[in-house]
């Protein structure tokens, strides 16, 4: 059996040009430019100071925004349904799987990807949020509703999700 080597031979003690290996204690010596092709710079380069932008503290995104984006990613087919497995509880995962297999928010024939336009929410009690999102898909506006509940581990989980249209019947727990 003939073995074919597709990589170039490695010569000990040398590294490829331009590699910056911070694990090694000593760096490579700086390269000296060829005097025939190198022209000395007459003026120093301009200083590269960072732009003076007022620093405002960035607030973390709201759970309604995160979940609207996550649910939309699943319903458009950008993410698989199991992406939401640890973010859902109860019938929400089954409802999401049912909605995703129908593919109601896939990219339209004109190539426009659905996007979240607006999010609203209501807090019925502490630790629960009922939210809705307006989703524009081409020239059509869709609605998505979902409920979030705060778990004992201080993480938000989706407990219900609905998209405009008929509801999926739930099996009764007897």
């Amino acid at each position: 059996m003939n073995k074919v080597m597709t990589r170039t031979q490695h010569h000990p003690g040398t590294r490829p040009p331009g590699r910056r290996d911070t694990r090694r204690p000593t760096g490579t010596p700086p390269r000296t430019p060829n005097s025939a092709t190198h022209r000395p710079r007459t003026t120093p380069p301009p200083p590269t100071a960072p732009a003076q932008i007022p620093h405002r503290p960035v607030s973390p995104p709201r759970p309604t925004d995160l979940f609207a984006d996550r649910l939309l990613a699943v319903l458009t087919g950008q993410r698989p349904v199991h992406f939401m497995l640890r973010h859902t509880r109860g019938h929400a995962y089954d409802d999401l799987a049912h909605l995703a297999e129908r593919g109601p928010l896939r990219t339209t024939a004109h190539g426009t990807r659905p996007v979240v336009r607006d999010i609203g929410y209501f807090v019925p009690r502490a630790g629960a949020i009922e939210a809705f999102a307006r989703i524009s898909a081409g020239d059509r506006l869709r609605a998505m509703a979902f409920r979030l509940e705060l778990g004992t581990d201080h993480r938000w989980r989706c407990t219900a999700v609905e998209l405009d249209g008929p509801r999926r019947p739930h099996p009764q727990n007897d």
Side-chain angles (χ1 to χ4, degrees):
M1 181 158 121
N2 293 333
K3 195 172 198 181
V4 178
M5 301 297 287
T6 57
R7 296 185 181 186
T8 59
Q9 294 292 327
H10 176 67
H11 301 287
T14 62
R15 291 187 275 168
R19 180 176 171 194
R20 306 284 186 252
D21 193 353
T22 58
R23 296 173 289 168
R24 297 184 72 162
T26 59
T28 59
R31 294 184 181 190
T32 56
N34 185 355
S35 61
T37 59
H38 177 67
R39 286 178 269 169
R41 184 176 279 184
T42 56
T43 59
T48 56
Q52 297 298 326
I53 299 174
H55 181 48
R56 289 185 286 188
V58 178
S59 62
R62 291 181 287 203
T64 54
D65 298 346
L66 289 173
F67 274 87
D69 289 336
R70 288 174 181 167
L71 291 168
L72 184 63
V74 170
L75 293 173
T76 58
Q78 295 173 347
R79 293 279 191 170
V81 178
H82 66 264
F83 170 70
M84 289 296 292
L85 188 59
R86 67 186 182 127
H87 302 292
T88 57
R89 195 173 72 195
H91 291 289
Y93 184 77
D94 297 330
D95 293 341
L96 185 60
H98 177 74
L99 289 171
E101 75 183 23
R102 291 186 333 175
L105 293 177
R106 300 269 183 209
T107 303
T108 63
H110 300 293
T112 56
R113 182 176 286 173
V115 293
V116 175
R117 290 290 177 203
D118 188 25
I119 298 174
Y121 63 93
F122 171 70
V123 182
R125 63 174 172 80
I129 299 174
E130 293 179 354
F132 69 89
R134 290 185 186 104
I135 300 168
S136 86
D139 58 350
R140 188 169 180 199
L141 192 63
R142 307 285 305 260
M144 177 175 61
F146 54 98
R147 181 181 173 90
L148 303 176
E149 291 185 11
L150 190 62
T152 56
D153 58 352
H154 301 287
R155 291 179 51 198
W156 290 98
R157 288 190 176 78
C158 182
T159 57
V161 62
E162 290 181 6
L163 202 59
D164 55 356
R167 289 185 176 181
R168 178 177 172 255
H170 286 288
Q172 297 299 324
N173 294 335
D174 294 324

